[in-house]
Amino acid sequence: MRIVYIHQYYCNPGMAGGIRSYEQARRLVARGHTVDVITTDITPGARELGWKVTDDDGITVHWFRVPYDNHMSYARRLRAFAEFMLLATVRAARIGADLVFATSTPLTVAVPGVLAARLRRVPFVFEVRDLWPEIPIEMGALRNPVARGLAGALADWAYRNAAAVVALSPGMALGVNKRRPSVPVTIVPNAADIELFAVDPSSVAAFRNEHHWLGDRPLIVYTGALGAVNGVDYLVHAARRMREIDPEIRVLIVGHGREWESTGRLAAEHGLLDTTVRMWEKVPKSDLPVILGAATLSTSMVRPIPGLWDNSANKFFDALAASRPIAINYGGWQADLIGETGAGLVLDPHDPAGAGEVLAAHARDEDWLAKARDAAHRLAVERFSRDLLFERFEGVLHRSAGRTRSLSEQY
C-alpha cells in the first residue's frame, strides 16, 4: 500500500520531540508499504524556499521550512498552520497514494489530508492527538465565538470525511464520537519503546558519575515541553518542599517551550536553580534513555484543567519503557492505570508542597521503588509496547483501504 502520511511536526530519533510518526512509518515500510511523510523543517536557520526530500530508514520525508516555536504569538502560530496547510495540500495531491493519513495537532492538517484523498479517490484516516476546539476553549485560548464556530466546523468536517479515526486516549475517542457517532474510532495511545530505553547499567553509572551534582542521590526528572498546558512550575514548588525534607534529592528538567524562562526564574527566586533543580535545553530523543535510566522517578505535569486529563503524553510511556515509576499531577485514564497497577504516584494538582512531601517520602523507599519499577515494566510489555500497538494501528489502515475498495467494486 502507498501511504501519504501528513504530520506537521514529524521528528526522528536524532531530533528533540516525539517519534510516534517515525516509529509507525518505519514499521509500515518494514511491512512492505511505501510511505511519504509530508512535514515542516523548524530547525533554526535561514528560511529556504522549496521542498527538501530525505530518507529516514526507508521513509521518504518531504520537508518544507515553516518557522514555528512556542514563543510565537497565537496569530503567528495560526499563520504557520495555514501556510503548511496550503503547502501540504499541493504536495500531497502530487504523490500517488492508496491511502492518506494525517495526524494532528494542529487540526488544520485535516485539510490537505481530506483534499488529497478526494483528488486521489482514496480513503482518508485521521489521527486525533488533542481534541479541538474543546481543549483551547477550556484553557481560555479560543475565546472568539466566530473562531470557536469555525474550529468546531473544521473538526466536524474532518471526522465526516474520515474513513476511520485513530484516537490517542479513551477521552479523545469519546470526544470524536460526540461529534460524529458514525465514524469508526480506534484507540491507539502513545507507546513504550522498550528496545530504545534498554540502557546498559554501566552507561547509567557513567552518567551519574559524570555529573558531580548527582552522584548516588535520588533523581526526579521531567522531560518534555514547558508550554502553557504543562505547568512545570508545579514541580519547582514541589522541589522547594523536597529540599526542606531531604536536601540531597535532585530534580532535572529537560525540555523547551514558552515557559522555559519563567520556570528557570522561579527556581532561581527560590534558590533552587543549579542546586536542587537543574535545567537542560531539549535533547534528541536518542539521549533520553540514559537520563531516564538514571532517574529514580519520572514525572508528567499538566495544568489543573480536566480536559487535559485525556492526554497521551510521550513522557508517561517513556517512563514505562525505562521501567521507571511515573508521578503525575492529574486524573483520568493514566491516573487510573497507576492506581490499578502501582506503577507510580498520583499527586494532588492543587498542592505542589504536598506533592513534594509525597515525592520525598517515596524517593528513598527502596521496597516501593522496586515494586513500582516492576509494575511500570509490565505495563510497557503487556499493554503499551510499540510493536503491540502498531498491529492495532496497521489494522485500521488495512480496514479503511479494504472498506473503500469494497464500496468502489459495487459501482
Side-chain angles (χ1 to χ4, degrees), residues 237-294:
H237 288 296
R240 186 182 183 189
R241 180 62 180 135
M242 277 188 277
R243 183 179 60 178
E244 295 171 350
I245 299 169
D246 186 345
E248 291 294 290
I249 292 177
R250 297 292 180 259
V251 174
L252 176 61
I253 297 170
V254 183
H256 64 290
R258 193 168 191 171
E259 296 194 354
W260 171 266
E261 289 84 2
S262 61
T263 302
R265 284 196 302 271
L266 180 65
E269 288 167 6
H270 291 308
L272 300 169
L273 192 61
D274 296 330
T275 54
T276 297
V277 176
R278 305 271 165 164
M279 295 184 66
W280 291 357
E281 287 278 6
K282 58 185 179 180
V283 300
K285 184 79 173 188
S286 55
D287 288 354
L288 287 183
V290 73
I291 294 173
L292 283 177

Short mmCIF file of all heavy atoms in Angstrom, two decimals, residues 237-294:
data_model
loop_
_atom_site.label_atom_id
_atom_site.label_comp_id
_atom_site.label_asym_id
_atom_site.label_seq_id
_atom_site.Cartn_x
_atom_site.Cartn_y
_atom_site.Cartn_z
N HIS A 237 7.83 24.19 42.67
CA HIS A 237 7.27 24.39 44.01
C HIS A 237 7.39 23.11 44.84
O HIS A 237 7.67 23.17 46.04
CB HIS A 237 5.80 24.81 43.91
CG HIS A 237 5.61 26.20 43.41
ND1 HIS A 237 6.05 27.32 44.11
CD2 HIS A 237 5.02 26.68 42.28
CE1 HIS A 237 5.73 28.42 43.43
NE2 HIS A 237 5.11 28.06 42.32
N ALA A 238 7.19 21.96 44.20
CA ALA A 238 7.36 20.69 44.90
C ALA A 238 8.81 20.50 45.33
O ALA A 238 9.10 20.00 46.43
CB ALA A 238 6.91 19.53 44.01
N ALA A 239 9.75 20.90 44.46
CA ALA A 239 11.18 20.77 44.77
C ALA A 239 11.56 21.62 45.97
O ALA A 239 12.44 21.25 46.77
CB ALA A 239 12.01 21.17 43.56
N ARG A 240 10.92 22.78 46.11
CA ARG A 240 11.20 23.64 47.27
C ARG A 240 10.89 22.90 48.57
O ARG A 240 11.66 22.96 49.54
CB ARG A 240 10.36 24.91 47.15
CG ARG A 240 10.67 25.95 48.21
CD ARG A 240 9.75 27.15 48.03
NE ARG A 240 10.07 28.20 48.99
CZ ARG A 240 9.31 29.28 49.17
NH1 ARG A 240 8.21 29.46 48.43
NH2 ARG A 240 9.65 30.19 50.07
N ARG A 241 9.76 22.20 48.60
CA ARG A 241 9.40 21.43 49.79
C ARG A 241 10.30 20.21 49.94
O ARG A 241 10.70 19.87 51.07
CB ARG A 241 7.94 21.00 49.68
CG ARG A 241 7.44 20.18 50.87
CD ARG A 241 7.51 20.97 52.15
NE ARG A 241 7.04 20.20 53.29
CZ ARG A 241 7.65 20.16 54.47
NH1 ARG A 241 8.76 20.86 54.68
NH2 ARG A 241 7.14 19.44 55.46
N MET A 242 10.66 19.57 48.83
CA MET A 242 11.55 18.41 48.91
C MET A 242 12.88 18.78 49.53
O MET A 242 13.44 18.03 50.32
CB MET A 242 11.76 17.81 47.52
CG MET A 242 10.67 16.88 47.06
SD MET A 242 11.09 16.03 45.52
CE MET A 242 10.63 17.26 44.31
N ARG A 243 13.41 19.96 49.17
CA ARG A 243 14.70 20.37 49.71
C ARG A 243 14.64 20.52 51.22
O ARG A 243 15.62 20.21 51.94
CB ARG A 243 15.14 21.68 49.07
CG ARG A 243 16.52 22.14 49.54
CD ARG A 243 16.97 23.43 48.90
NE ARG A 243 16.05 24.54 49.19
CZ ARG A 243 16.25 25.79 48.76
NH1 ARG A 243 17.30 26.07 48.01
NH2 ARG A 243 15.38 26.73 49.05
N GLU A 244 13.50 20.99 51.74
CA GLU A 244 13.36 21.14 53.19
C GLU A 244 13.37 19.79 53.89
O GLU A 244 13.87 19.66 55.01
CB GLU A 244 12.05 21.87 53.50
CG GLU A 244 12.02 23.31 52.99
CD GLU A 244 10.63 23.94 53.11
OE1 GLU A 244 9.66 23.20 53.41
OE2 GLU A 244 10.52 25.16 52.88
N ILE A 245 12.83 18.78 53.23
CA ILE A 245 12.75 17.44 53.83
C ILE A 245 14.04 16.65 53.62
O ILE A 245 14.55 16.00 54.53
CB ILE A 245 11.56 16.68 53.23
CG1 ILE A 245 10.25 17.41 53.54
CG2 ILE A 245 11.51 15.24 53.75
CD1 ILE A 245 9.05 16.87 52.77
N ASP A 246 14.56 16.70 52.40
CA ASP A 246 15.74 15.92 52.02
C ASP A 246 16.58 16.73 51.04
O ASP A 246 16.34 16.70 49.84
CB ASP A 246 15.32 14.59 51.39
CG ASP A 246 16.50 13.66 51.10
OD1 ASP A 246 17.65 14.14 51.12
OD2 ASP A 246 16.25 12.46 50.86
N PRO A 247 17.56 17.49 51.52
CA PRO A 247 18.36 18.37 50.66
C PRO A 247 19.15 17.64 49.58
O PRO A 247 19.66 18.28 48.65
CB PRO A 247 19.30 19.07 51.65
CG PRO A 247 18.68 18.92 52.98
CD PRO A 247 17.97 17.61 52.94
N GLU A 248 19.27 16.33 49.69
CA GLU A 248 20.06 15.57 48.71
C GLU A 248 19.29 15.23 47.44
O GLU A 248 19.89 14.86 46.43
CB GLU A 248 20.58 14.28 49.35
CG GLU A 248 21.63 14.50 50.43
CD GLU A 248 22.90 15.08 49.82
OE1 GLU A 248 23.60 14.35 49.09
OE2 GLU A 248 23.19 16.26 50.10
N ILE A 249 17.97 15.32 47.46
CA ILE A 249 17.18 14.99 46.28
C ILE A 249 17.46 16.00 45.16
O ILE A 249 17.56 17.20 45.41
CB ILE A 249 15.67 14.96 46.60
CG1 ILE A 249 15.35 13.79 47.54
CG2 ILE A 249 14.84 14.85 45.32
CD1 ILE A 249 13.90 13.73 47.98
N ARG A 250 17.58 15.51 43.95
CA ARG A 250 17.84 16.36 42.79
C ARG A 250 16.68 16.26 41.80
O ARG A 250 16.08 15.20 41.62
CB ARG A 250 19.15 15.96 42.10
CG ARG A 250 20.39 16.15 42.98
CD ARG A 250 20.65 17.63 43.24
NE ARG A 250 21.84 17.85 44.08
CZ ARG A 250 21.79 18.13 45.38
NH1 ARG A 250 20.61 18.17 46.01
NH2 ARG A 250 22.89 18.34 46.05
N VAL A 251 16.40 17.39 41.15
CA VAL A 251 15.36 17.47 40.12
C VAL A 251 16.01 17.94 38.82
O VAL A 251 16.74 18.94 38.82
CB VAL A 251 14.24 18.44 40.53
CG1 VAL A 251 13.23 18.62 39.39
CG2 VAL A 251 13.54 17.95 41.80
N LEU A 252 15.76 17.21 37.74
CA LEU A 252 16.30 17.58 36.43
C LEU A 252 15.14 17.81 35.47
O LEU A 252 14.31 16.92 35.25
CB LEU A 252 17.21 16.48 35.89
CG LEU A 252 17.76 16.67 34.47
CD1 LEU A 252 18.61 17.93 34.38
CD2 LEU A 252 18.56 15.45 34.03
N ILE A 253 15.08 19.02 34.90
CA ILE A 253 14.06 19.39 33.92
C ILE A 253 14.74 19.49 32.56
O ILE A 253 15.66 20.29 32.38
CB ILE A 253 13.38 20.72 34.30
CG1 ILE A 253 12.66 20.58 35.65
CG2 ILE A 253 12.41 21.16 33.20
CD1 ILE A 253 12.16 21.90 36.21
N VAL A 254 14.29 18.67 31.62
CA VAL A 254 14.88 18.64 30.27
C VAL A 254 13.79 18.96 29.27
O VAL A 254 12.80 18.23 29.18
CB VAL A 254 15.48 17.25 29.95
CG1 VAL A 254 16.16 17.27 28.58
CG2 VAL A 254 16.48 16.83 31.03
N GLY A 255 13.95 20.04 28.52
CA GLY A 255 12.91 20.35 27.55
C GLY A 255 13.03 21.73 26.96
O GLY A 255 14.11 22.33 26.95
N HIS A 256 11.92 22.23 26.47
CA HIS A 256 11.89 23.55 25.85
C HIS A 256 10.44 24.00 25.79
O HIS A 256 9.52 23.21 26.00
CB HIS A 256 12.46 23.50 24.43
CG HIS A 256 11.66 22.67 23.48
ND1 HIS A 256 11.61 21.29 23.57
CD2 HIS A 256 10.84 23.01 22.44
CE1 HIS A 256 10.84 20.82 22.61
NE2 HIS A 256 10.34 21.83 21.92
N GLY A 257 10.24 25.28 25.52
CA GLY A 257 8.88 25.78 25.38
C GLY A 257 8.73 27.18 25.93
O GLY A 257 9.67 27.81 26.43
N ARG A 258 7.53 27.65 25.82
CA ARG A 258 7.22 29.04 26.15
C ARG A 258 7.51 29.40 27.60
O ARG A 258 7.80 30.55 27.92
CB ARG A 258 5.73 29.29 25.82
CG ARG A 258 5.34 30.74 25.81
CD ARG A 258 3.96 30.91 25.21
NE ARG A 258 3.65 32.30 24.95
CZ ARG A 258 2.60 32.72 24.28
NH1 ARG A 258 1.75 31.83 23.79
NH2 ARG A 258 2.37 33.99 24.09
N GLU A 259 7.41 28.43 28.51
CA GLU A 259 7.60 28.72 29.93
C GLU A 259 8.97 28.28 30.45
O GLU A 259 9.17 28.15 31.66
CB GLU A 259 6.47 28.06 30.74
CG GLU A 259 5.10 28.65 30.38
CD GLU A 259 4.01 28.27 31.36
OE1 GLU A 259 4.27 27.46 32.26
OE2 GLU A 259 2.89 28.80 31.22
N TRP A 260 9.90 28.08 29.52
CA TRP A 260 11.26 27.71 29.94
C TRP A 260 11.87 28.80 30.83
O TRP A 260 12.37 28.53 31.92
CB TRP A 260 12.13 27.47 28.70
CG TRP A 260 13.59 27.30 28.99
CD1 TRP A 260 14.56 28.26 28.97
CD2 TRP A 260 14.25 26.09 29.37
NE1 TRP A 260 15.77 27.73 29.30
CE2 TRP A 260 15.62 26.39 29.56
CE3 TRP A 260 13.82 24.78 29.56
CZ2 TRP A 260 16.56 25.44 29.92
CZ3 TRP A 260 14.76 23.82 29.93
CH2 TRP A 260 16.10 24.16 30.10
N GLU A 261 11.85 30.04 30.36
CA GLU A 261 12.48 31.13 31.10
C GLU A 261 11.77 31.39 32.43
O GLU A 261 12.43 31.57 33.46
CB GLU A 261 12.49 32.43 30.26
CG GLU A 261 13.45 32.41 29.09
CD GLU A 261 12.84 31.74 27.85
OE1 GLU A 261 11.65 31.32 27.90
OE2 GLU A 261 13.55 31.64 26.84
N SER A 262 10.44 31.40 32.43
CA SER A 262 9.72 31.68 33.67
C SER A 262 9.93 30.58 34.70
O SER A 262 10.03 30.84 35.90
CB SER A 262 8.22 31.87 33.39
OG SER A 262 7.65 30.70 32.84
N THR A 263 10.05 29.33 34.24
CA THR A 263 10.31 28.23 35.16
C THR A 263 11.70 28.36 35.77
O THR A 263 11.90 28.15 36.97
CB THR A 263 10.17 26.87 34.43
OG1 THR A 263 8.86 26.78 33.87
CG2 THR A 263 10.40 25.71 35.38
N GLY A 264 12.67 28.74 34.94
CA GLY A 264 14.03 28.95 35.44
C GLY A 264 14.10 30.11 36.44
O GLY A 264 14.79 30.02 37.46
N ARG A 265 13.35 31.18 36.14
CA ARG A 265 13.35 32.33 37.06
C ARG A 265 12.75 31.94 38.41
O ARG A 265 13.25 32.34 39.47
CB ARG A 265 12.55 33.48 36.45
CG ARG A 265 13.28 34.25 35.37
CD ARG A 265 12.62 35.59 35.09
NE ARG A 265 11.22 35.45 34.70
CZ ARG A 265 10.82 35.29 33.44
NH1 ARG A 265 11.71 35.25 32.45
NH2 ARG A 265 9.54 35.18 33.16
N LEU A 266 11.68 31.15 38.37
CA LEU A 266 11.04 30.71 39.61
C LEU A 266 12.01 29.87 40.44
O LEU A 266 12.13 30.07 41.67
CB LEU A 266 9.78 29.90 39.30
CG LEU A 266 9.01 29.36 40.50
CD1 LEU A 266 8.44 30.50 41.33
CD2 LEU A 266 7.89 28.41 40.04
N ALA A 267 12.72 28.95 39.79
CA ALA A 267 13.70 28.13 40.50
C ALA A 267 14.80 29.00 41.10
O ALA A 267 15.26 28.76 42.23
CB ALA A 267 14.28 27.08 39.56
N ALA A 268 15.24 30.01 40.36
CA ALA A 268 16.30 30.91 40.85
C ALA A 268 15.80 31.73 42.03
O ALA A 268 16.53 31.94 43.02
CB ALA A 268 16.76 31.82 39.72
N GLU A 269 14.55 32.22 41.96
CA GLU A 269 14.00 33.03 43.05
C GLU A 269 13.96 32.26 44.36
O GLU A 269 14.12 32.85 45.43
CB GLU A 269 12.59 33.50 42.67
CG GLU A 269 12.56 34.57 41.59
CD GLU A 269 11.17 34.78 41.03
OE1 GLU A 269 10.20 34.17 41.58
OE2 GLU A 269 11.03 35.54 40.04
N HIS A 270 13.76 30.96 44.28
CA HIS A 270 13.70 30.14 45.49
C HIS A 270 15.05 29.54 45.86
O HIS A 270 15.14 28.71 46.77
CB HIS A 270 12.67 29.02 45.32
CG HIS A 270 11.25 29.49 45.26
ND1 HIS A 270 10.69 30.32 46.21
CD2 HIS A 270 10.27 29.27 44.35
CE1 HIS A 270 9.43 30.57 45.91
NE2 HIS A 270 9.15 29.95 44.77
N GLY A 271 16.10 29.96 45.15
CA GLY A 271 17.44 29.46 45.44
C GLY A 271 17.64 28.00 45.09
O GLY A 271 18.52 27.33 45.65
N LEU A 272 16.85 27.51 44.14
CA LEU A 272 16.92 26.10 43.76
C LEU A 272 17.74 25.84 42.51
O LEU A 272 18.28 24.74 42.33
CB LEU A 272 15.49 25.56 43.51
CG LEU A 272 14.50 25.63 44.67
CD1 LEU A 272 13.10 25.32 44.16
CD2 LEU A 272 14.89 24.64 45.76
N LEU A 273 17.84 26.84 41.64
CA LEU A 273 18.47 26.63 40.34
C LEU A 273 19.95 26.33 40.48
O LEU A 273 20.68 27.03 41.21
CB LEU A 273 18.27 27.87 39.45
CG LEU A 273 18.63 27.69 37.98
CD1 LEU A 273 17.76 26.63 37.32
CD2 LEU A 273 18.49 29.02 37.23
N ASP A 274 20.38 25.27 39.81
CA ASP A 274 21.76 24.79 39.82
C ASP A 274 22.19 24.23 41.17
O ASP A 274 23.38 24.04 41.42
CB ASP A 274 22.73 25.89 39.37
CG ASP A 274 22.49 26.31 37.93
OD1 ASP A 274 22.04 25.45 37.15
OD2 ASP A 274 22.74 27.47 37.60
N THR A 275 21.21 24.00 42.04
CA THR A 275 21.48 23.26 43.29
C THR A 275 20.53 22.06 43.32
O THR A 275 20.88 20.98 42.86
CB THR A 275 21.30 24.16 44.53
OG1 THR A 275 19.99 24.75 44.49
CG2 THR A 275 22.36 25.25 44.57
N THR A 276 19.34 22.28 43.87
CA THR A 276 18.34 21.20 43.85
C THR A 276 17.81 20.94 42.45
O THR A 276 17.59 19.79 42.05
CB THR A 276 17.17 21.55 44.80
OG1 THR A 276 17.66 21.65 46.13
CG2 THR A 276 16.08 20.50 44.73
N VAL A 277 17.59 22.01 41.70
CA VAL A 277 16.99 21.91 40.36
C VAL A 277 18.01 22.25 39.28
O VAL A 277 18.68 23.28 39.34
CB VAL A 277 15.77 22.87 40.23
CG1 VAL A 277 15.21 22.85 38.81
CG2 VAL A 277 14.68 22.49 41.24
N ARG A 278 18.10 21.38 38.30
CA ARG A 278 18.91 21.63 37.10
C ARG A 278 17.98 21.68 35.89
O ARG A 278 17.00 20.93 35.83
CB ARG A 278 19.94 20.51 36.87
CG ARG A 278 20.85 20.27 38.06
CD ARG A 278 22.09 21.12 38.00
NE ARG A 278 22.78 21.13 39.29
CZ ARG A 278 24.02 21.54 39.47
NH1 ARG A 278 24.73 21.97 38.42
NH2 ARG A 278 24.57 21.55 40.67
N MET A 279 18.31 22.56 34.95
CA MET A 279 17.51 22.68 33.73
C MET A 279 18.42 22.54 32.52
O MET A 279 19.41 23.25 32.40
CB MET A 279 16.76 24.01 33.71
CG MET A 279 15.72 24.14 34.80
SD MET A 279 14.74 25.68 34.69
CE MET A 279 13.85 25.41 33.15
N TRP A 280 18.06 21.60 31.65
CA TRP A 280 18.80 21.38 30.41
C TRP A 280 17.89 21.67 29.23
O TRP A 280 16.71 21.32 29.24
CB TRP A 280 19.28 19.93 30.31
CG TRP A 280 20.35 19.55 31.29
CD1 TRP A 280 20.97 20.36 32.20
CD2 TRP A 280 20.91 18.25 31.45
NE1 TRP A 280 21.89 19.64 32.93
CE2 TRP A 280 21.88 18.34 32.48
CE3 TRP A 280 20.71 17.02 30.84
CZ2 TRP A 280 22.63 17.25 32.90
CZ3 TRP A 280 21.45 15.92 31.25
CH2 TRP A 280 22.41 16.04 32.27
N GLU A 281 18.45 22.30 28.21
CA GLU A 281 17.70 22.51 26.98
C GLU A 281 17.34 21.16 26.36
O GLU A 281 17.90 20.12 26.71
CB GLU A 281 18.53 23.34 25.99
CG GLU A 281 18.67 24.80 26.38
CD GLU A 281 17.44 25.64 25.98
OE1 GLU A 281 16.44 25.05 25.50
OE2 GLU A 281 17.49 26.86 26.15
N LYS A 282 16.40 21.21 25.43
CA LYS A 282 15.93 19.98 24.79
C LYS A 282 17.08 19.16 24.23
O LYS A 282 18.08 19.70 23.78
CB LYS A 282 14.95 20.32 23.67
CG LYS A 282 15.51 21.24 22.60
CD LYS A 282 14.45 21.62 21.60
CE LYS A 282 15.00 22.57 20.54
NZ LYS A 282 13.98 22.96 19.56
N VAL A 283 16.93 17.84 24.27
CA VAL A 283 17.95 16.93 23.76
C VAL A 283 17.30 15.99 22.75
O VAL A 283 16.07 15.80 22.76
CB VAL A 283 18.58 16.10 24.91
CG1 VAL A 283 19.23 17.00 25.93
CG2 VAL A 283 17.54 15.19 25.57
N PRO A 284 18.07 15.38 21.86
CA PRO A 284 17.49 14.40 20.93
C PRO A 284 16.85 13.24 21.68
O PRO A 284 17.27 12.89 22.79
CB PRO A 284 18.71 13.93 20.12
CG PRO A 284 19.72 15.02 20.26
CD PRO A 284 19.50 15.60 21.63
N LYS A 285 15.85 12.66 21.07
CA LYS A 285 15.17 11.53 21.70
C LYS A 285 16.15 10.43 22.06
O LYS A 285 16.01 9.76 23.10
CB LYS A 285 14.11 10.98 20.73
CG LYS A 285 13.26 9.85 21.29
CD LYS A 285 12.19 10.38 22.20
CE LYS A 285 11.23 9.27 22.62
NZ LYS A 285 10.07 9.78 23.35
N SER A 286 17.18 10.25 21.25
CA SER A 286 18.16 9.18 21.48
C SER A 286 18.97 9.39 22.75
O SER A 286 19.61 8.45 23.24
CB SER A 286 19.10 9.06 20.28
OG SER A 286 19.73 10.30 20.01
N ASP A 287 18.95 10.62 23.33
CA ASP A 287 19.67 10.89 24.56
C ASP A 287 18.83 10.63 25.81
O ASP A 287 19.37 10.60 26.93
CB ASP A 287 20.15 12.35 24.60
CG ASP A 287 21.29 12.62 23.64
OD1 ASP A 287 21.79 11.66 23.02
OD2 ASP A 287 21.69 13.79 23.51
N LEU A 288 17.52 10.47 25.64
CA LEU A 288 16.65 10.32 26.80
C LEU A 288 16.82 9.00 27.55
O LEU A 288 16.67 8.97 28.78
CB LEU A 288 15.18 10.47 26.39
CG LEU A 288 14.71 11.89 26.04
CD1 LEU A 288 13.21 11.86 25.73
CD2 LEU A 288 15.00 12.87 27.16
N PRO A 289 17.12 7.88 26.87
CA PRO A 289 17.18 6.62 27.62
C PRO A 289 18.15 6.63 28.80
O PRO A 289 17.81 6.13 29.88
CB PRO A 289 17.61 5.61 26.55
CG PRO A 289 17.00 6.15 25.30
CD PRO A 289 17.16 7.64 25.42
N VAL A 290 19.32 7.22 28.63
CA VAL A 290 20.28 7.21 29.75
C VAL A 290 19.82 8.15 30.86
O VAL A 290 20.06 7.89 32.05
CB VAL A 290 21.70 7.55 29.26
CG1 VAL A 290 21.85 9.03 28.91
CG2 VAL A 290 22.74 7.16 30.32
N ILE A 291 19.14 9.24 30.49
CA ILE A 291 18.63 10.16 31.50
C ILE A 291 17.56 9.47 32.35
O ILE A 291 17.58 9.53 33.59
CB ILE A 291 18.08 11.44 30.85
CG1 ILE A 291 19.21 12.23 30.19
CG2 ILE A 291 17.35 12.31 31.87
CD1 ILE A 291 18.76 13.43 29.38
N LEU A 292 16.63 8.80 31.67
CA LEU A 292 15.59 8.09 32.41
C LEU A 292 16.16 6.89 33.15
O LEU A 292 15.69 6.52 34.23
CB LEU A 292 14.46 7.66 31.48
CG LEU A 292 13.49 8.78 31.07
CD1 LEU A 292 12.46 8.26 30.09
CD2 LEU A 292 12.80 9.36 32.28
N GLY A 293 17.19 6.27 32.56
CA GLY A 293 17.84 5.16 33.24
C GLY A 293 18.45 5.57 34.56
O GLY A 293 18.55 4.77 35.50
N ALA A 294 18.88 6.84 34.64
CA ALA A 294 19.48 7.35 35.87
C ALA A 294 18.44 7.88 36.85
O ALA A 294 18.77 8.20 38.00
CB ALA A 294 20.47 8.47 35.53
#
